[in-house]
Amino acid sequence: MKYMFLDESGELGFSEKSSKFFTIALLMCGLKEEQELQRIIKKVRQKILKKKLRQSTEIKWNNSNEIIKIKVLERLSRINLEIFSIILDKSKVYDYLKGKKHKLYNYLSNLIINECSIDGKFELIVDRSKNKRSLRDDFDRYIRHSAKDKCPNLTIRHEDSKSNGGLQAMDFISGAIFNKYEFGNISYYNFIKDKIVTEKEFL
């Protein structure tokens, strides 16, 4: 069994206050590495966070200080995993796509899955951020249909990141890649750059 975790940074808004880039990243690993991923956040919480924060259900990139970010990324750099990423320059998105954000998200997700060498049994774990069940179902149908020849045994799980350490760790990976493009900051990215198999700019 292989595991894939999917996460994104930035957002697909197109106002003046929106981010310039949107990044979507996929992590692929085996069972042993998946178990190590689940433990990363727990260990950082126990060793770094102050006592009153240790019981917090989730550590996110956007609410973590530099020490926590570095500790998580350092631990990730020691795990045998592969990272695939696509970076969207939103200034180059066609106007007709700007009103179809979930379709664009599904399309980018499929593109990044196609970058992986997948056969056998795979499980794709996605943050349950889509509030509408219809959007989750649409995502699942699109990905399964696109991957049916390449990976007929693909299963998809939408989980609350609060209860999944792998998704929380993945949030730090996508955050590090996003910082490289949005702010020109590669200090976080450098921790994981050797794990990156694919890094493509889309459009």
Side-chain angles (χ1 to χ4, degrees):
M1 172 72 82
K2 289 280 189 178
Y3 296 87
M4 296 186 289
F5 292 87
L6 184 72
D7 192 52
E8 70 279 346
S9 281
E11 30 70 43
L12 283 174
F14 293 92
S15 69
E16 291 183 0
K17 296 181 179 179
S18 298
S19 62
K20 298 185 292 293
F21 292 90
F22 176 80
T23 64
I24 189 163
L26 182 78
L27 180 156
M28 186 166 70
C29 65
L31 175 60
K32 176 177 176 291
E33 292 75 24
E34 191 271 341
Q35 293 170 342
E36 292 175 350
L37 276 177
Q38 298 294 340
R39 290 193 291 265
I40 284 179
I41 299 299
K42 181 179 180 180
K43 289 180 178 179
V44 170
R45 181 186 289 115
Q46 290 173 342
K47 294 184 177 181
I48 305 297
L49 292 183
K50 294 180 180 179
K51 187 175 181 180
K52 65 179 180 179
L53 296 175
R54 286 178 187 168
Q55 301 305 314
S56 59
T57 55
E58 186 173 19
I59 299 177
K60 298 280 288 183
W61 171 270
N62 286 333
N63 63 18
S64 295
N65 60 32
E66 185 172 6
I67 294 174
I68 294 173
K69 290 176 180 177
I70 290 174
K71 287 297 181 183
V72 171
L73 292 170
E74 279 180 342
R75 289 179 180 274
L76 282 167
S77 71
R78 301 178 202 142
I79 299 177
N80 182 24
L81 49 83
E82 294 180 319
I83 298 169
F84 305 81
S85 64
I86 289 179
I87 299 92
L88 175 69
D89 181 345
K90 294 194 298 183
S91 68
K92 299 178 182 179
V93 173
Y94 297 122
D95 287 340
Y96 77 91
L97 286 174
K98 292 179 180 180
K100 301 177 180 180
K101 297 176 186 178
H102 73 281
K103 297 290 186 184
L104 181 57
Y105 179 87
N106 292 353
Y107 180 68
L108 292 172
S109 298
N110 182 57
L111 283 181
I112 201 164
I113 290 170
N114 282 329
E115 290 292 325
C116 306
S117 298
I118 53 177
D119 53 27
K121 293 189 69 175
F122 275 81
E123 187 166 62
L124 173 65
I125 299 99
V126 186
D127 190 358
R128 195 170 58 201
S129 56
K130 297 178 179 63
N131 294 324
K132 291 184 178 180
R133 179 64 181 268
S134 60
L135 294 181
R136 296 198 297 269
D137 290 345
D138 186 53
F139 174 89
D140 291 355
R141 282 193 298 269
Y142 183 82
I143 296 300
R144 286 199 181 101
H145 177 75
S146 300
K148 64 181 180 180
D149 294 327
K150 190 174 184 180
C151 189
N153 295 317
L154 176 69
T155 59
I156 303 173
R157 280 194 290 130
H158 294 262
E159 289 201 2
D160 190 335
S161 57
K162 292 179 181 179
S163 59
N164 190 299
L167 285 173
Q168 291 182 49
M170 188 65 212
D171 183 57
F172 284 78
I173 290 175
S174 58
I177 296 171
F178 177 76
N179 263 251
K180 173 185 174 181
Y181 288 88
E182 185 75 9
F183 306 112
N185 179 2
I186 62 171
S187 61
Y188 301 117
Y189 170 89
N190 284 340
F191 285 99
I192 57 169
K193 66 179 181 180
D194 293 338
K195 305 292 181 181
I196 297 177
V197 178
T198 297
E199 184 176 345
K200 288 187 174 180
E201 294 187 48
F202 181 68
L203 293 178

